[in-house]
Protein backbone atom coordinates (compact mmCIF):
# COMPACT_ATOMS: atom_id res chain seq x y z
CA UNK A 1 0.00 0.00 0.00
CA UNK A 2 1.21 3.47 -0.85
CA UNK A 3 1.61 6.32 1.62
CA UNK A 4 -1.46 7.98 3.07
CA UNK A 5 -4.01 5.34 2.19
CA UNK A 6 -6.33 3.92 4.82
CA UNK A 7 -6.33 0.23 5.61
CA UNK A 8 -9.06 -1.03 7.87
CA UNK A 9 -9.85 -4.47 9.19
CA UNK A 10 -13.51 -5.15 10.06
CA UNK A 11 -16.09 -2.55 11.07
CA UNK A 12 -16.99 -0.43 14.08
CA UNK A 13 -20.49 -1.86 13.65
CA UNK A 14 -19.03 -5.32 14.18
CA UNK A 15 -17.50 -4.21 17.50
CA UNK A 16 -20.84 -2.66 18.44
CA UNK A 17 -22.31 -6.13 17.87
CA UNK A 18 -19.57 -7.70 19.96
CA UNK A 19 -17.66 -9.34 17.09
CA UNK A 20 -14.22 -9.45 18.74
CA UNK A 21 -13.16 -13.07 19.26
CA UNK A 22 -11.31 -13.54 15.98
CA UNK A 23 -9.27 -11.30 13.72
CA UNK A 24 -6.00 -10.91 11.88
CA UNK A 25 -2.48 -10.87 13.32
CA UNK A 26 -1.12 -7.43 14.22
CA UNK A 27 1.77 -8.19 11.84
CA UNK A 28 -0.68 -8.04 8.91
CA UNK A 29 -1.95 -4.70 10.14
CA UNK A 30 1.63 -3.40 10.36
CA UNK A 31 2.20 -4.52 6.76
CA UNK A 32 -0.39 -1.91 5.77
CA UNK A 33 0.60 1.00 7.97
CA UNK A 34 2.88 2.45 10.63
CA UNK A 35 0.30 4.81 12.17
CA UNK A 36 -3.07 3.91 13.56
CA UNK A 37 -5.39 2.58 16.18
CA UNK A 38 -7.75 -0.23 16.99
CA UNK A 39 -8.46 -2.78 19.64
CA UNK A 40 -7.51 -6.32 20.64
CA UNK A 41 -9.20 -9.70 21.00
CA UNK A 42 -12.31 -9.37 23.18
CA UNK A 43 -11.87 -5.54 23.11
CA UNK A 44 -9.20 -5.92 25.71
CA UNK A 45 -7.56 -2.50 25.73
CA UNK A 46 -6.82 0.21 23.21
CA UNK A 47 -4.37 -0.19 20.34
CA UNK A 48 -2.00 2.50 19.14
CA UNK A 49 0.44 2.06 16.26
CA UNK A 50 3.23 4.60 16.52
CA UNK A 51 6.18 4.61 14.11
CA UNK A 52 5.35 1.07 13.07
CA UNK A 53 5.26 -0.32 16.62
CA UNK A 54 2.03 -1.60 18.16
CA UNK A 55 1.16 -1.01 21.82
CA UNK A 56 -1.70 -2.41 23.86
CA UNK A 57 -2.96 0.08 26.44
CA UNK A 58 -4.82 -1.87 29.09
CA UNK A 59 -7.49 -0.90 31.57
CA UNK A 60 -5.20 -1.62 34.52
CA UNK A 61 -3.15 1.35 33.37
CA UNK A 62 -0.26 -0.65 31.92
CA UNK A 63 0.99 -0.51 28.35
CA UNK A 64 2.36 -3.53 26.56
CA UNK A 65 4.71 -3.29 23.61
CA UNK A 66 3.57 -6.03 21.21
CA UNK A 67 6.89 -7.74 20.50
CA UNK A 68 5.38 -10.70 18.65
CA UNK A 69 2.82 -9.06 16.35
CA UNK A 70 2.35 -12.27 14.38
CA UNK A 71 0.98 -13.96 17.51
CA UNK A 72 -1.47 -11.29 18.67
CA UNK A 73 -4.72 -10.71 16.85
CA UNK A 74 -6.96 -7.72 16.36
CA UNK A 75 -10.67 -7.76 15.58
CA UNK A 76 -10.60 -4.11 14.46
CA UNK A 77 -7.83 -1.75 13.36
CA UNK A 78 -7.34 1.28 11.14
CA UNK A 79 -3.85 2.19 9.92
CA UNK A 80 -2.01 4.17 7.27
CA UNK A 81 1.53 4.55 6.08
CA UNK A 82 1.61 8.10 7.34
CA UNK A 83 3.57 10.84 5.61
CA UNK A 84 2.37 14.28 6.77
CA UNK A 85 1.32 16.54 3.91
CA UNK A 86 0.99 19.50 6.27
CA UNK A 87 3.22 20.04 9.29
CA UNK A 88 2.63 22.88 11.67
CA UNK A 89 2.79 23.89 15.32
CA UNK A 90 -0.36 24.79 17.19
CA UNK A 91 -1.85 25.29 20.63
CA UNK A 92 -5.07 23.31 20.84
CA UNK A 93 -7.45 23.70 23.75
CA UNK A 94 -9.91 20.87 23.08
CA UNK A 95 -11.14 18.27 20.62
CA UNK A 96 -13.31 21.04 19.20
CA UNK A 97 -10.19 23.19 18.75
CA UNK A 98 -8.55 20.35 16.79
CA UNK A 99 -11.64 20.07 14.62
CA UNK A 100 -11.41 23.78 13.81
CA UNK A 101 -7.69 23.53 13.08
CA UNK A 102 -8.23 20.60 10.70
CA UNK A 103 -10.98 22.48 8.88
CA UNK A 104 -8.60 25.42 8.50
CA UNK A 105 -5.72 23.23 7.27
CA UNK A 106 -7.97 21.31 4.84
CA UNK A 107 -10.87 23.64 4.03
CA UNK A 108 -12.04 21.37 1.20
CA UNK A 109 -11.43 18.13 3.09
CA UNK A 110 -14.71 17.44 4.86
CA UNK A 111 -15.45 14.47 2.59
CA UNK A 112 -12.02 12.87 2.91
CA UNK A 113 -10.14 10.89 5.52
CA UNK A 114 -7.41 12.66 7.46
CA UNK A 115 -4.54 11.00 9.30
CA UNK A 116 -3.44 13.07 12.28
CA UNK A 117 -0.41 13.06 14.56
CA UNK A 118 0.44 15.43 17.40
CA UNK A 119 3.68 15.35 19.38
CA UNK A 120 4.38 17.50 22.42
CA UNK A 121 3.36 18.24 25.96
CA UNK A 122 -0.25 18.13 26.97
CA UNK A 123 -1.60 20.17 29.87
CA UNK A 124 -4.38 17.63 30.31
CA UNK A 125 -5.44 14.43 28.62
CA UNK A 126 -8.45 12.36 29.56
CA UNK A 127 -8.47 8.82 28.21
CA UNK A 128 -10.50 5.70 28.54
CA UNK A 129 -9.37 2.12 28.17
CA UNK A 130 -11.78 -0.68 27.47
CA UNK A 131 -11.45 -3.61 29.83
CA UNK A 132 -12.67 -6.29 27.50
CA UNK A 133 -15.76 -8.38 27.02
CA UNK A 134 -17.14 -10.50 29.87
CA UNK A 135 -18.38 -13.00 27.29
CA UNK A 136 -18.18 -13.44 23.49
CA UNK A 137 -20.53 -11.17 21.48
CA UNK A 138 -20.94 -8.74 24.38
CA UNK A 139 -21.51 -5.44 22.57
CA UNK A 140 -19.28 -2.39 22.72
CA UNK A 141 -21.84 -0.27 24.56
CA UNK A 142 -21.83 -2.73 27.48
CA UNK A 143 -18.02 -3.06 27.36
CA UNK A 144 -17.67 0.73 27.36
CA UNK A 145 -19.83 1.03 30.47
CA UNK A 146 -17.05 -0.70 32.41
CA UNK A 147 -14.25 1.32 30.84
CA UNK A 148 -11.53 2.82 33.00
CA UNK A 149 -10.89 6.54 32.62
CA UNK A 150 -7.66 8.28 33.46
CA UNK A 151 -6.49 11.84 33.48
CA UNK A 152 -2.89 12.80 32.83
CA UNK A 153 -1.52 16.29 33.49
CA UNK A 154 1.55 17.91 32.00
CA UNK A 155 2.39 14.77 30.07
CA UNK A 156 4.67 14.44 27.04
CA UNK A 157 3.60 12.07 24.32
CA UNK A 158 1.90 11.49 21.00
CA UNK A 159 -1.65 11.53 19.76
CA UNK A 160 -2.37 9.31 16.77
CA UNK A 161 -5.65 9.24 14.96
CA UNK A 162 -7.96 9.76 12.06
CA UNK A 163 -10.78 11.96 11.01
CA UNK A 164 -13.32 9.96 9.04
CA UNK A 165 -15.90 11.51 6.71
CA UNK A 166 -19.57 11.25 7.71
CA UNK A 167 -20.33 8.71 4.98
CA UNK A 168 -18.26 5.97 6.65
CA UNK A 169 -20.23 6.07 9.90
CA UNK A 170 -20.90 2.45 10.78
CA UNK A 171 -17.82 1.22 8.95
CA UNK A 172 -15.68 3.46 11.12
CA UNK A 173 -16.32 6.37 13.47
CA UNK A 174 -17.35 9.55 11.66
CA UNK A 175 -15.35 12.45 13.01
CA UNK A 176 -12.13 12.48 14.99
CA UNK A 177 -10.93 9.26 16.60
CA UNK A 178 -7.72 9.69 18.59
CA UNK A 179 -5.54 7.54 20.82
CA UNK A 180 -2.68 8.75 23.04
CA UNK A 181 0.54 7.24 24.34
CA UNK A 182 3.09 8.98 26.54
CA UNK A 183 6.75 9.38 25.66
CA UNK A 184 7.83 6.55 27.99
CA UNK A 185 5.20 4.21 26.49
CA UNK A 186 3.72 3.60 29.91
CA UNK A 187 0.39 5.41 29.82
CA UNK A 188 -2.31 5.99 27.28
CA UNK A 189 -5.75 5.23 25.91
CA UNK A 190 -8.62 6.41 23.76
CA UNK A 191 -8.89 10.20 24.02
CA UNK A 192 -12.01 11.66 25.56
CA UNK A 193 -10.60 15.18 25.98
CA UNK A 194 -7.25 16.94 25.66
CA UNK A 195 -5.55 20.29 25.87
CA UNK A 196 -2.01 21.05 24.76
CA UNK A 197 0.57 22.84 26.87
CA UNK A 198 1.47 25.58 24.41
CA UNK A 199 2.37 24.51 20.88
CA UNK A 200 2.64 20.91 19.81
CA UNK A 201 3.83 19.52 16.49
CA UNK A 202 0.88 18.70 14.26
CA UNK A 203 1.12 16.57 11.12
CA UNK A 204 -1.88 15.88 8.91
CA UNK A 205 -2.52 14.12 5.62
CA UNK A 206 -5.61 13.91 3.49
CA UNK A 207 -6.39 10.44 2.16
CA UNK A 208 -8.63 9.47 -0.73
CA UNK A 209 -8.12 5.71 -0.78
CA UNK A 210 -9.79 3.40 1.73
CA UNK A 211 -9.04 -0.33 1.77
CA UNK A 212 -11.47 -2.34 3.83
CA UNK A 213 -11.08 -6.00 4.68
CA UNK A 214 -13.85 -7.80 6.53
CA UNK A 215 -13.61 -11.12 8.39
CA UNK A 216 -14.14 -14.38 6.57
CA UNK A 217 -14.88 -17.74 8.16
CA UNK A 218 -15.96 -15.87 11.28
CA UNK A 219 -19.41 -16.93 12.44
CA UNK A 220 -19.62 -13.98 14.84
CA UNK A 221 -19.20 -11.58 11.95
CA UNK A 222 -21.41 -13.55 9.58
CA UNK A 223 -24.29 -13.57 12.03
CA UNK A 224 -24.00 -9.99 13.27
CA UNK A 225 -26.75 -7.58 12.36
CA UNK A 226 -24.30 -4.71 11.67
CA UNK A 227 -27.02 -2.11 11.78
CA UNK A 228 -26.24 1.53 11.24
CA UNK A 229 -26.28 2.62 14.91
CA UNK A 230 -24.99 6.17 14.51
CA UNK A 231 -26.05 7.31 17.98
CA UNK A 232 -24.58 4.27 19.71
CA UNK A 233 -21.24 4.64 17.93
CA UNK A 234 -21.04 8.33 18.75
CA UNK A 235 -21.77 7.54 22.39
CA UNK A 236 -18.92 5.07 22.80
CA UNK A 237 -16.39 6.37 20.29
CA UNK A 238 -17.17 10.05 19.87
CA UNK B 1 -5.62 -6.10 -7.36
CA UNK B 2 -6.21 -9.79 -6.80
CA UNK B 3 -9.24 -11.74 -8.01
CA UNK B 4 -12.61 -11.18 -6.35
CA UNK B 5 -11.85 -7.91 -4.62
CA UNK B 6 -14.13 -4.91 -5.05
CA UNK B 7 -12.78 -1.66 -6.48
CA UNK B 8 -15.07 1.32 -6.34
CA UNK B 9 -14.62 4.88 -7.50
CA UNK B 10 -16.66 7.51 -5.65
CA UNK B 11 -19.96 6.96 -3.83
CA UNK B 12 -23.61 6.41 -4.66
CA UNK B 13 -24.28 9.29 -2.23
CA UNK B 14 -22.18 11.51 -4.47
CA UNK B 15 -24.36 10.62 -7.48
CA UNK B 16 -27.43 11.29 -5.34
CA UNK B 17 -25.95 14.76 -4.76
CA UNK B 18 -25.31 15.17 -8.49
CA UNK B 19 -21.51 14.83 -8.35
CA UNK B 20 -20.97 13.57 -11.91
CA UNK B 21 -18.98 16.12 -13.89
CA UNK B 22 -15.51 14.75 -13.18
CA UNK B 23 -14.07 11.32 -12.59
CA UNK B 24 -11.39 8.87 -13.61
CA UNK B 25 -10.72 7.38 -17.05
CA UNK B 26 -12.47 4.08 -17.77
CA UNK B 27 -9.00 2.65 -18.45
CA UNK B 28 -8.18 3.06 -14.74
CA UNK B 29 -11.38 1.25 -13.81
CA UNK B 30 -10.47 -1.60 -16.18
CA UNK B 31 -7.06 -1.84 -14.49
CA UNK B 32 -8.94 -2.92 -11.35
CA UNK B 33 -11.52 -5.27 -12.78
CA UNK B 34 -13.05 -6.98 -15.80
CA UNK B 35 -16.60 -7.23 -14.40
CA UNK B 36 -18.74 -4.42 -13.15
CA UNK B 37 -21.06 -1.51 -13.56
CA UNK B 38 -21.33 2.22 -13.11
CA UNK B 39 -22.24 5.34 -14.98
CA UNK B 40 -20.69 8.02 -17.18
CA UNK B 41 -20.02 11.75 -17.03
CA UNK B 42 -23.24 13.59 -16.17
CA UNK B 43 -24.94 10.20 -15.50
CA UNK B 44 -25.31 9.78 -19.23
CA UNK B 45 -26.30 6.13 -19.56
CA UNK B 46 -25.52 2.91 -17.75
CA UNK B 47 -22.10 1.27 -17.69
CA UNK B 48 -21.48 -2.44 -17.92
CA UNK B 49 -18.03 -4.03 -17.88
CA UNK B 50 -18.17 -7.49 -19.40
CA UNK B 51 -15.04 -9.60 -19.90
CA UNK B 52 -12.90 -6.52 -19.50
CA UNK B 53 -14.74 -4.45 -22.11
CA UNK B 54 -16.74 -1.37 -21.15
CA UNK B 55 -20.06 -0.52 -22.82
CA UNK B 56 -22.18 2.60 -22.47
CA UNK B 57 -25.89 1.83 -22.67
CA UNK B 58 -27.68 5.03 -23.57
CA UNK B 59 -31.22 6.21 -23.03
CA UNK B 60 -31.83 6.37 -26.80
CA UNK B 61 -31.56 2.58 -26.78
CA UNK B 62 -28.12 2.39 -28.37
CA UNK B 63 -25.04 0.76 -26.87
CA UNK B 64 -21.57 2.11 -27.41
CA UNK B 65 -18.46 -0.02 -27.07
CA UNK B 66 -15.90 2.23 -25.36
CA UNK B 67 -12.92 1.78 -27.68
CA UNK B 68 -10.84 4.52 -26.09
CA UNK B 69 -11.25 3.92 -22.35
CA UNK B 70 -8.44 6.32 -21.53
CA UNK B 71 -10.47 9.18 -23.04
CA UNK B 72 -13.84 8.52 -21.40
CA UNK B 73 -14.40 9.28 -17.75
CA UNK B 74 -16.66 7.82 -15.09
CA UNK B 75 -17.87 9.58 -11.94
CA UNK B 76 -18.90 6.24 -10.35
CA UNK B 77 -18.01 2.64 -11.02
CA UNK B 78 -17.74 -0.68 -9.17
CA UNK B 79 -15.66 -3.50 -10.62
CA UNK B 80 -13.90 -6.73 -9.69
CA UNK B 81 -11.54 -9.15 -11.33
CA UNK B 82 -14.21 -11.82 -11.34
CA UNK B 83 -13.45 -15.48 -10.91
CA UNK B 84 -16.61 -17.41 -9.98
CA UNK B 85 -16.26 -19.45 -6.79
CA UNK B 86 -19.59 -21.12 -7.37
CA UNK B 87 -20.93 -21.97 -10.83
CA UNK B 88 -24.37 -23.43 -11.28
CA UNK B 89 -27.40 -23.45 -13.56
CA UNK B 90 -30.70 -22.11 -12.32
CA UNK B 91 -34.13 -20.94 -13.41
CA UNK B 92 -34.83 -17.59 -11.76
CA UNK B 93 -38.24 -15.98 -11.88
CA UNK B 94 -37.52 -12.57 -10.40
CA UNK B 95 -35.03 -10.38 -8.54
CA UNK B 96 -36.48 -11.91 -5.39
CA UNK B 97 -35.76 -15.38 -6.77
CA UNK B 98 -32.13 -14.37 -7.34
CA UNK B 99 -31.93 -13.08 -3.78
CA UNK B 100 -33.14 -16.44 -2.49
CA UNK B 101 -30.70 -18.34 -4.72
CA UNK B 102 -27.77 -16.22 -3.48
CA UNK B 103 -28.77 -16.81 0.14
CA UNK B 104 -28.85 -20.54 -0.59
CA UNK B 105 -25.46 -20.52 -2.34
CA UNK B 106 -23.84 -18.37 0.37
CA UNK B 107 -25.86 -19.00 3.55
CA UNK B 108 -23.26 -17.21 5.68
CA UNK B 109 -22.64 -14.41 3.19
CA UNK B 110 -25.10 -11.71 4.19
CA UNK B 111 -22.32 -9.46 5.50
CA UNK B 112 -20.08 -9.81 2.44
CA UNK B 113 -20.02 -8.53 -1.09
CA UNK B 114 -20.98 -10.90 -3.88
CA UNK B 115 -20.06 -10.57 -7.54
CA UNK B 116 -22.72 -12.09 -9.79
CA UNK B 117 -22.87 -13.08 -13.45
CA UNK B 118 -25.68 -14.77 -15.32
CA UNK B 119 -25.49 -15.87 -18.96
CA UNK B 120 -28.40 -17.25 -20.93
CA UNK B 121 -31.80 -16.49 -22.37
CA UNK B 122 -34.21 -14.29 -20.50
CA UNK B 123 -37.96 -14.56 -20.94
CA UNK B 124 -38.33 -10.95 -19.88
CA UNK B 125 -36.00 -8.18 -18.80
CA UNK B 126 -37.06 -4.71 -17.80
CA UNK B 127 -34.29 -2.12 -17.76
CA UNK B 128 -33.92 1.57 -17.31
CA UNK B 129 -31.27 3.84 -18.76
CA UNK B 130 -30.51 7.22 -17.26
CA UNK B 131 -30.55 10.05 -19.75
CA UNK B 132 -28.08 12.30 -18.01
CA UNK B 133 -28.14 15.50 -16.02
CA UNK B 134 -29.74 18.64 -17.44
CA UNK B 135 -27.24 20.71 -15.47
CA UNK B 136 -24.22 20.04 -13.22
CA UNK B 137 -25.08 18.88 -9.67
CA UNK B 138 -28.58 17.81 -10.69
CA UNK B 139 -29.25 14.93 -8.28
CA UNK B 140 -29.86 11.32 -9.21
CA UNK B 141 -33.48 11.34 -8.09
CA UNK B 142 -34.28 14.07 -10.62
CA UNK B 143 -32.20 12.35 -13.33
CA UNK B 144 -33.99 9.05 -12.64
CA UNK B 145 -37.39 10.69 -13.07
CA UNK B 146 -36.53 11.15 -16.77
CA UNK B 147 -35.11 7.66 -17.23
CA UNK B 148 -36.11 5.56 -20.22
CA UNK B 149 -37.43 2.10 -19.50
CA UNK B 150 -37.35 -0.80 -21.93
CA UNK B 151 -38.63 -4.32 -21.89
CA UNK B 152 -36.91 -7.12 -23.79
CA UNK B 153 -38.50 -10.52 -24.35
CA UNK B 154 -36.80 -13.81 -25.16
CA UNK B 155 -33.42 -12.12 -25.23
CA UNK B 156 -30.00 -13.74 -24.94
CA UNK B 157 -27.36 -11.93 -22.96
CA UNK B 158 -25.52 -11.40 -19.71
CA UNK B 159 -26.37 -9.90 -16.36
CA UNK B 160 -23.45 -8.45 -14.42
CA UNK B 161 -23.70 -7.15 -10.91
CA UNK B 162 -23.03 -7.11 -7.23
CA UNK B 163 -24.78 -7.73 -4.00
CA UNK B 164 -23.58 -5.26 -1.38
CA UNK B 165 -23.97 -5.78 2.37
CA UNK B 166 -26.30 -3.45 4.26
CA UNK B 167 -23.44 -1.63 5.97
CA UNK B 168 -22.22 -0.03 2.72
CA UNK B 169 -25.53 1.69 2.01
CA UNK B 170 -24.61 5.23 1.02
CA UNK B 171 -21.21 4.21 -0.27
CA UNK B 172 -22.86 1.80 -2.68
CA UNK B 173 -26.33 0.33 -3.05
CA UNK B 174 -27.17 -2.21 -0.36
CA UNK B 175 -28.66 -5.29 -1.96
CA UNK B 176 -28.52 -6.50 -5.54
CA UNK B 177 -27.44 -4.07 -8.25
CA UNK B 178 -27.52 -5.57 -11.73
CA UNK B 179 -26.96 -4.38 -15.29
CA UNK B 180 -27.78 -6.29 -18.48
CA UNK B 181 -26.38 -6.37 -22.00
CA UNK B 182 -27.60 -8.58 -24.82
CA UNK B 183 -25.42 -11.00 -26.77
CA UNK B 184 -25.11 -8.64 -29.77
CA UNK B 185 -24.12 -5.75 -27.46
CA UNK B 186 -26.95 -3.65 -28.84
CA UNK B 187 -29.41 -3.44 -25.96
CA UNK B 188 -29.22 -3.18 -22.21
CA UNK B 189 -29.49 -1.13 -19.07
CA UNK B 190 -29.96 -1.15 -15.31
CA UNK B 191 -32.21 -4.06 -14.36
CA UNK B 192 -35.57 -3.29 -12.79
CA UNK B 193 -36.98 -6.81 -13.21
CA UNK B 194 -36.05 -10.04 -14.95
CA UNK B 195 -37.08 -13.63 -15.47
CA UNK B 196 -34.97 -16.35 -17.05
CA UNK B 197 -36.16 -18.62 -19.84
CA UNK B 198 -35.35 -21.93 -18.17
CA UNK B 199 -31.89 -22.38 -16.77
CA UNK B 200 -29.14 -19.81 -17.14
CA UNK B 201 -25.50 -20.09 -16.14
CA UNK B 202 -24.92 -18.44 -12.77
CA UNK B 203 -21.49 -17.59 -11.39
CA UNK B 204 -21.01 -16.02 -7.98
CA UNK B 205 -18.07 -15.06 -5.78
CA UNK B 206 -17.94 -13.82 -2.23
CA UNK B 207 -15.60 -10.89 -1.66
CA UNK B 208 -14.13 -9.65 1.61
CA UNK B 209 -11.91 -6.82 0.35
CA UNK B 210 -13.32 -3.46 -0.69
CA UNK B 211 -11.07 -0.77 -2.16
CA UNK B 212 -12.69 2.64 -2.28
CA UNK B 213 -11.22 5.67 -4.03
CA UNK B 214 -12.96 9.01 -3.71
CA UNK B 215 -12.46 12.07 -5.93
CA UNK B 216 -9.76 14.60 -5.15
CA UNK B 217 -9.51 18.11 -6.50
CA UNK B 218 -13.20 17.92 -7.34
CA UNK B 219 -15.16 20.84 -5.92
CA UNK B 220 -18.46 19.10 -6.63
CA UNK B 221 -17.44 16.20 -4.42
CA UNK B 222 -15.81 18.37 -1.78
CA UNK B 223 -18.94 20.48 -1.35
CA UNK B 224 -21.52 17.69 -1.49
CA UNK B 225 -23.44 16.87 1.67
CA UNK B 226 -23.24 13.09 1.08
CA UNK B 227 -25.96 12.38 3.57
CA UNK B 228 -27.08 8.84 4.25
CA UNK B 229 -30.25 8.86 2.11
CA UNK B 230 -31.18 5.20 2.33
CA UNK B 231 -34.72 5.66 1.07
CA UNK B 232 -33.67 7.83 -1.86
CA UNK B 233 -31.00 5.37 -2.95
CA UNK B 234 -33.39 2.44 -2.73
CA UNK B 235 -35.91 4.36 -4.81
CA UNK B 236 -33.56 5.03 -7.72
CA UNK B 237 -31.22 2.04 -7.51
CA UNK B 238 -33.22 -0.70 -5.83
Amino acid sequence: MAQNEVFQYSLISALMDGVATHGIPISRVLDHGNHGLGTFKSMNGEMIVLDGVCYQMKCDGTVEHIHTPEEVITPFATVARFQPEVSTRATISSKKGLKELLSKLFPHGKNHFLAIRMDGTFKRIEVRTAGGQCFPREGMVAVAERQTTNEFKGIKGTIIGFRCPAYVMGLNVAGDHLHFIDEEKQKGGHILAFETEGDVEVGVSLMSKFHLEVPTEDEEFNEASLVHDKDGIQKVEG
Side-chain angles (χ1 to χ4, degrees), chain A:
Chain A
M1 239 172 63
Q3 284 178 342
N4 297 330
E5 299 187 3
V6 189
F7 170 80
Q8 182 178 309
Y9 179 74
S10 196
L11 312 170
I12 277 285
S13 295
L15 290 186
M16 292 294 290
D17 284 349
V19 178
T21 306
H22 309 289
I24 55 171
I26 303 292
S27 50
R28 275 207 48 217
V29 172
L30 299 178
D31 286 345
H32 290 98
N34 56 4
H35 164 115
L37 45 77
T39 187
F40 293 86
K41 183 178 164 72
S42 309
M43 298 190 230
N44 189 6
E46 309 289 335
M47 175 198 294
I48 191 165
V49 176
L50 172 66
D51 295 325
V53 178
C54 178
Y55 301 90
Q56 181 176 14
M57 304 182 290
K58 299 180 177 176
C59 70
D60 64 4
T62 64
V63 174
E64 191 174 332
H65 176 154
I66 304 294
H67 288 285
T68 54
E70 59 290 337
E71 290 168 17
V72 178
I73 68 146
T74 173
F76 177 83
T78 308
V79 293
R81 203 173 299 288
F82 182 56
Q83 181 62 41
E85 271 184 277
V86 172
S87 295
T88 185
R89 291 182 62 82
T91 299
I92 302 166
S93 61
S94 64
K95 281 178 83 170
K96 187 162 170 283
L98 173 66
K99 201 172 165 184
E100 288 163 4
L101 174 67
L102 294 175
S103 297
K104 210 172 108 186
L105 293 175
F106 290 91
H108 306 297
K110 81 174 168 73
N111 290 329
H112 290 86
F113 292 84
L114 299 178
I116 304 153
R117 175 171 176 159
M118 286 171 271
D119 291 277
T121 302
F122 297 87
K123 188 186 280 183
R124 195 180 79 83
I125 292 202
E126 193 187 334
V127 300
R128 74 107 195 272
T129 41
Q133 292 169 307
C134 289
F135 52 87
R137 291 300 306 276
E138 188 182 26
M140 192 161 61
V141 170
V143 172
E145 278 169 6
R146 295 189 305 271
Q147 70 192 14
T148 305
T149 57
N150 268 301
E151 194 179 50
F152 309 125
K153 291 192 169 177
I155 192 167
K156 232 173 151 175
T158 302
I159 291 174
I160 291 281
F162 297 99
R163 194 185 75 183
C164 294
Y167 56 79
V168 296
M169 183 51 117
L171 278 66
N172 202 313
V173 184
D176 299 334
H177 186 181
L178 308 166
H179 285 191
F180 170 78
I181 191 164
D182 78 322
E183 197 177 29
E184 280 77 35
K185 316 293 187 274
Q186 290 180 351
K187 293 172 187 165
H190 169 106
I191 292 187
L192 299 173
F194 77 94
E195 183 180 353
T196 68
E197 180 124 348
D199 278 1
V200 295
E201 300 283 344
V202 181
V204 191
S205 284
L206 182 142
M207 301 181 291
S208 60
K209 292 182 183 174
F210 174 72
H211 305 277
L212 174 69
E213 181 175 337
V214 296
T216 52
E217 322 261 320
D218 179 348
E219 277 311 302
E220 287 190 355
F221 182 83
N222 293 347
E223 289 166 7
S225 62
L226 305 179
V227 294
H228 190 83
D229 178 11
K230 187 177 166 185
D231 296 337
I233 294 168
Q234 265 164 349
K235 187 177 158 201
V236 295
E237 292 285 356

